[in-house]
Amino acid sequence: MCAVETGMNNNAFEKSMMVHYTRIMPQASFDQLHMVSERVHDVLHDCCKDEPGHFILPCAEEKLTDAIDATCEDYDPSTINPRIAHCCNQSYSMRRPCILNIQPDTEFTPPELDASNFHMGPELCTKDSKELLFSGKKLLYGVVRHKTTITEEQLKSISTKYHSMKEKCCAAEDQAACFTEEAPKLVSESAELVKV
């Protein structure tokens, strides 16, 4: 687990957590999943940084269980999805293994991928890294919700197109016009790529 966490930069790891949790609970709001992905990232980051290798598991198990408990208490699990509600109703010791065993939700009926749900404009050229991470996670959330079984190759393809669009439009003389034209194309190509 630490090898994965340290092998990625913080942003990539947090995005991978967003993808993972969106797959298993696509009904949750972006804000809920943003909070969960941050909590899990913080737990693993703290445990990998502070604990010698062989103590990572007890550290992570305890803190992850606490994070799951906080999530179960902060939100009405039945509004997230029945499988999360089932896990939140388990005993304290069974919640973590229950949630870790949840597979992608293939029964979720996704909303249409709509360009108006993704705000991509000139601010992407000047945003600080925290805001860029937030923007990237929002795009991932929308795409993964659309197809919870999306493959790594499809995600990589969408990510490459996103970065190409950003690079092109940030270098354009009229950034706003470029994003107005290119962002809907990106969303439309992404929707086509993950057609269910």
Side-chain angles (χ1 to χ4, degrees), residues 14 18 27 39 52 64 94 109 113 127 139 153 178:
E14 210 172 304
M18 175 59 88
Q27 299 87 341
R39 280 179 179 162
L64 272 177
M94 293 307 295
T109 305
L113 266 183
K127 279 185 176 175
L139 179 63
E153 290 75 24
C178 180

Side-chain angles (χ1 to χ4, degrees), residues 4 46 66 111 114 130 133 135 149 155-156 164 188 193-194:
V4 173
D46 289 348
D66 291 346
D114 183 352
K130 198 162 185 145
L133 172 62
S135 169
T149 56
L155 279 170
K156 202 175 282 186
S164 296
S188 158
L193 187 66
V194 296

Side-chain angles (χ1 to χ4, degrees), residues 99-161:
I99 285 180
L100 291 176
N101 283 324
I102 295 177
Q103 297 301 307
D105 187 341
T106 54
E107 293 168 19
F108 175 67
T109 305
E112 285 299 309
L113 266 183
D114 183 352
S116 64
N117 294 335
F118 304 99
H119 184 72
M120 294 177 269
E123 70 283 351
L124 288 180
C125 306
T126 54
K127 279 185 176 175
D128 65 33
S129 61
K130 198 162 185 145
E131 288 181 41
L132 280 172
L133 172 62
F134 187 82
S135 169
K137 283 171 73 174
K138 203 150 195 167
L139 179 63
L140 284 171
Y141 168 75
V143 170
V144 175
R145 269 183 102 205
H146 195 69
K147 185 179 183 185
T148 57
T149 56
I150 189 169
T151 65
E152 287 305 315
E153 290 75 24
Q154 289 170 324
L155 279 170
K156 202 175 282 186
S157 172
I158 291 167
S159 179
T160 301
K161 289 175 190 215

Side-chain angles (χ1 to χ4, degrees), residues 3 31 49 53-54 78 101 142 169 173 180:
D31 290 340
K49 179 179 59 121
H54 58 285
S78 65
N101 283 324
C169 291
E173 200 170 302
T180 300

Side-chain angles (χ1 to χ4, degrees), residues 36-54:
V36 169
S37 68
E38 280 187 329
R39 280 179 179 162
V40 173
H41 168 266
D42 291 347
V43 163
L44 291 175
H45 184 72
D46 289 348
C47 290
C48 292
K49 179 179 59 121
D50 296 340
E51 300 286 341
H54 58 285

